[in-house]
Amino acid sequence: VLARTKNRVDGSWSSLRDETFIVGTQPPSRADLVISEIHYNPYGSDEFEFIELWNRGTNLVDLSGVTVSNAVRYSFPEYTTLHPGARIVVVEDAPSFSNRYQNAASPWYWDGIDVAGEWIGGLSDGGERIDIMSTSNTVISSVRYRSGGDWPERPDGDGGSLELSSPASVPTDSAEQVEYL
């Protein structure tokens, strides 16, 4: 919104103000925002790594200042929103990611991927914890993944990724274990 006011006494105008307002958003909660996919050891190179977040709620959520922490570090910029049912990814290397996943000529192409930006750090191929933190520093979503054991082998360098197996299984009020395929 661009706005200014007129002085009633002398008829002069104030300086122009430029403000941005996001209407109808709410901060994300455990009920809304989940980690839906982790690509921690992609085939070929770690520069194709990504973490996908999904708004499984019914409200537009404001991700401004929400952070990804522990494994990697990323803070969503101001005015970043996520519509109900929408997904957004944070990546290791944006140009490499774009060339592989957003290039229609690539065999890994996927239409409509929304990239928020690049993280700092890197995902461990052996596993670790990923936390999504609110602006008040509370955990919104958390996943501890690892290679081996009961975890699937395909995401560990063979081309697959860890994907949320059942959205209904994600707890909305505690930090219970979430199952990924």
Side-chain angles (χ1 to χ4, degrees):
V1 174
L2 298 173
R4 56 176 31 171
T5 59
K6 187 174 185 178
N7 185 319
R8 291 183 187 177
V9 177
D10 66 8
S12 64
W13 288 93
S14 69
S15 60
L16 187 63
R17 295 285 313 252
D18 182 1
E19 296 292 332
T20 302
F21 298 93
I22 299 174
V23 180
T25 63
Q26 67 179 32
S29 70
R30 292 185 81 76
D32 299 312
L33 194 63
V34 297
I35 299 169
S36 54
E37 188 171 358
I38 305 165
H39 205 21
Y40 68 93
N41 188 13
Y43 178 79
S45 173
D46 284 349
E47 58 193 15
F48 305 121
E49 291 181 342
F50 64 87
I51 299 169
E52 179 186 76
L53 303 179
W54 172 47
N55 179 358
R56 69 174 175 172
T58 58
N59 297 305
L60 178 68
V61 293
D62 183 1
L63 297 177
S64 302
V66 169
T67 59
V68 180
S69 63
N70 285 340
V72 296
R73 293 176 312 284
Y74 179 79
S75 182
F76 285 90
E78 195 170 1
Y79 310 120
T80 304
T81 58
L82 192 58
H83 290 272
R87 298 168 190 266
I88 194 166
V89 297
V90 181
V91 303
E92 169 83 21
D93 181 274
S96 296
F97 181 91
S98 178
N99 191 47
R100 178 178 263 194
Y101 299 108
Q102 296 177 306
N103 177 354
S106 169
W108 289 282
Y109 173 73
W110 194 265
D111 188 38
I113 298 174
D114 186 8
V115 177
E118 294 180 357
W119 63 54
I120 296 170
L123 294 174
S124 169
D125 293 347
E128 62 194 320
R129 182 176 161 162
I130 301 170
D131 288 333
I132 308 301
M133 307 295 290
S134 72
T135 55
S136 62
N137 211 30
T138 58
V139 176
I140 297 171
S141 186
S142 182
V143 173
R144 181 177 295 279
Y145 72 92
R146 66 186 182 103
S147 61
D150 293 336
W151 288 87
E153 292 179 20
R154 186 164 161 72
D156 194 10
D158 291 330
S161 61
L162 293 175
E163 295 184 55
L164 185 60
S165 63
S166 173
S169 71
V170 178
T172 58
D173 58 0
S174 66
E176 298 173 30
Q177 179 64 39
V178 177
E179 184 177 338
Y180 289 77
L181 298 174

